[in-house]
Amino acid sequence: MSGEKKRSVGTFFGGLVMVVGVLIFALSGLCTAGFLVMLVGDELKRPGSSGMGGMGEAILVPLLFGALPIIVGLGLFIFGRGLRRSG
């Protein structure tokens, strides 16, 4: 009985971590995509208006800031999936 209870707690906690990871991954990915679309659209409409060196920097900045939460969310998902499988 104790092993069954321990397994269900691990499965629940793993599922919870997976959900949090997916939310972080999805929301930060959507935010990064939104900033990319906004900056690229602005750069195409008025070149040099973003105050950056050009299209390359306009694309690089959101990817640098958005990559960390995306990686953390993906890591939490993978960790939670491992917890859920191990029970």
Side-chain angles (χ1 to χ4, degrees), residues 6-83:
K6 187 182 250 186
R7 181 180 169 140
S8 66
V9 170
T11 303
F12 173 74
F13 185 68
L16 190 63
V17 172
M18 283 176 59
V19 168
V20 170
V22 165
L23 285 173
I24 291 172
F25 180 82
L27 293 177
S28 60
L30 286 172
C31 184
T32 301
F35 272 99
L36 280 173
V37 167
M38 181 189 67
L39 284 174
V40 169
D42 193 38
E43 192 66 32
L44 288 173
K45 192 169 24 174
R46 296 179 303 223
S49 66
S50 64
M52 298 182 203
M55 185 70 78
E57 286 184 22
I59 292 173
L60 189 62
V61 170
L63 289 178
L64 286 174
F65 286 109
L68 183 62
I70 290 171
I71 291 170
V72 168
L74 183 62
L76 282 172
F77 176 78
I78 292 169
F79 177 68
R81 187 177 61 184
L83 280 175

